[in-house]
Amino acid sequence: MAPANAHKEIPGNPSTAKSSHLKLNDRSNVKPLKVLSEDDWKFWIDNGYIVIKNAVPKEQAERTARFLWEFEEKDPGNPETWYAPPRAEIQMKELTNTGMVEVYNHQYLWDNRQTQRVYDAFCDVWGTDKLWVTIDRANLNFPMRPGFEYKGFIHWDYDPETRPQNVQGVLALADQTDENMGGFQCIPELYRNYDTWKLAQPADRDHFKPDVNGLELVKVKMEAGDLLIFNSLEPHGIRPNRSGDKVRIAQYIAMMPAQEDNETLRQWRIASWRDRIAPEGYAFPGDPRKWEQTKYHAAELSPLGKKLLGLDSW
């Protein structure tokens, strides 16, 4: 199956594999941690997520945010420009009105991906330096108003029964310290107790959308430049933005062990960067204007960036 549409029926990002043949770091290789403290590590293991402070410089995050406003043809100072109809229909209906920005390979997105501290944090959770970065998009999540509503939702991108060895990540491009302004939410309680919880669930339950009744949702607060990494076994989602005037702005970034023996996937990734091609999947409609192809050049990659893409070998 071609990597570009390998995830047609599930939410997960098809620019990397669904699961790694390597297991997430269990510290058995005694490699020293590069970014996480021992307290961070314990929190990560117990809760299934961790926030890396100042993963990219705040100015770099704010520059990316300004670009997203321009790409979306919206004025941050004029809310009347925020609520234009979506340009492309998204198959994953839970994402309707949640503000996904269909840009994947712009220079600023790659600058964030190839930032050393971002890479080092993913090295810590994987226990290996040989990583590939996901080719993913960004998010401008606007306050709800009549006619522009969406439900907060919780889901998995990969069926937890398959025990995926994978992580996902969100880079904050603006402060998200107000719990009312939307942003990432998750259920560490279910992450910890999944094997017990599932015993009480019906046999025909949806393996991507859990029944969350009675479970505590955690709203994760972040500041511009902070990176959140979460285990793919963590049930998660976007919460409603009820702030009235604040916009949640973020970029999705994750890394997983490089699959340099998967030449088909490697070549797709290189073409995606070179030709500014979006992943084709259940949740990725792409930009019908084709601005990435017509307005922007291929991003310049650092030596680290070339390895994170798969252009150069580790």
Side-chain angles (χ1 to χ4, degrees), residues 5-272:
N5 56 20
H7 293 204
K8 273 293 188 186
E9 305 305 322
I10 69 171
N13 186 297
S15 66
T16 55
K18 299 174 189 176
S19 183
S20 174
H21 65 283
L22 296 179
K23 293 192 178 298
L24 287 159
N25 192 7
D26 60 6
R27 307 290 295 281
S28 60
N29 62 10
V30 302
K31 284 172 69 88
L33 296 171
K34 299 181 179 186
V35 172
L36 273 63
S37 67
E38 290 298 332
D39 285 345
D40 290 337
W41 180 261
K42 184 176 187 308
F43 188 93
W44 159 252
I45 295 300
D46 290 347
N47 294 280
Y49 76 92
I50 188 67
V51 174
I52 313 300
K53 300 298 294 180
N54 304 305
V56 306
K58 192 176 290 284
E59 319 82 68
Q60 187 172 314
E62 292 170 347
R63 180 186 68 176
T64 311
R66 288 193 297 272
F67 160 71
L68 295 179
W69 284 107
E70 293 170 9
F71 185 84
E72 286 295 272
E73 301 179 86
K74 294 174 180 177
D75 179 354
N78 181 5
E80 291 309 307
T81 67
W82 297 356
Y83 300 96
R87 297 188 187 94
E89 183 178 356
I90 194 164
Q91 284 181 277
M92 189 177 172
K93 297 307 178 187
E94 296 92 336
L95 293 177
T96 301
N97 290 342
T98 59
M100 293 300 171
V101 181
E102 294 297 317
V103 61
Y104 293 86
N105 279 290
H106 188 271
Q107 183 71 59
Y108 293 169
L109 303 189
W110 272 103
D111 287 347
N112 295 334
R113 292 169 187 152
Q114 59 194 8
T115 296
Q116 188 70 40
R117 185 167 167 81
V118 171
Y119 164 70
D120 286 345
F122 282 104
C123 290
D124 282 351
V125 301
W126 278 110
T128 179
D129 295 343
K130 298 177 180 180
L131 301 176
W132 278 357
V133 68
T134 51
I135 297 174
D136 211 334
R137 64 192 160 190
N139 182 247
L140 281 173
N141 182 233
F142 299 112
M144 292 193 300
R145 71 178 192 181
F148 188 89
E149 293 100 357
Y150 52 91
K151 294 180 179 179
F153 66 98
I154 292 291
H155 73 294
W156 289 286
D157 290 280
Y158 307 93
D159 180 355
E161 284 298 294
T162 65
R163 308 302 295 179
Q165 294 297 306
N166 207 339
V167 299
Q168 293 158 257
V170 185
L171 177 70
L173 302 177
D175 290 350
Q176 302 162 26
T177 54
D178 181 347
E179 287 188 2
N180 292 317
M181 68 180 293
F184 183 86
Q185 60 183 1
C186 61
I187 307 182
E189 175 187 357
L190 179 49
Y191 167 78
R192 285 190 292 268
N193 302 319
Y194 172 79
D195 287 336
T196 305
W197 168 87
K198 72 179 182 181
L199 298 177
Q201 301 304 305
D204 62 348
R205 67 184 172 85
D206 189 328
H207 282 224
F208 293 92
K209 299 171 191 169
D211 178 355
V212 300
N213 285 323
L215 299 175
E216 180 187 0
L217 270 70
V218 172
K219 301 173 182 179
V220 180
K221 298 179 180 181
M222 302 169 68
E223 295 177 300
D226 292 352
L227 171 69
L228 179 143
I229 301 175
F230 62 97
N231 192 309
S232 290
L233 291 170
E234 179 82 75
H236 66 279
I238 297 175
R239 63 183 183 268
N241 186 338
R242 298 190 172 94
S243 67
D245 60 353
K246 297 184 177 75
V247 180
R248 182 261 190 151
I249 313 176
Q251 177 183 347
Y252 299 104
I253 301 178
M255 297 184 192
M256 70 184 304
Q259 294 182 288
E260 294 180 337
D261 57 342
N262 187 336
E263 186 62 16
T264 302
L265 180 56
R266 191 179 79 87
Q267 289 299 334
W268 181 87
R269 289 170 56 81
I270 292 169
S272 177

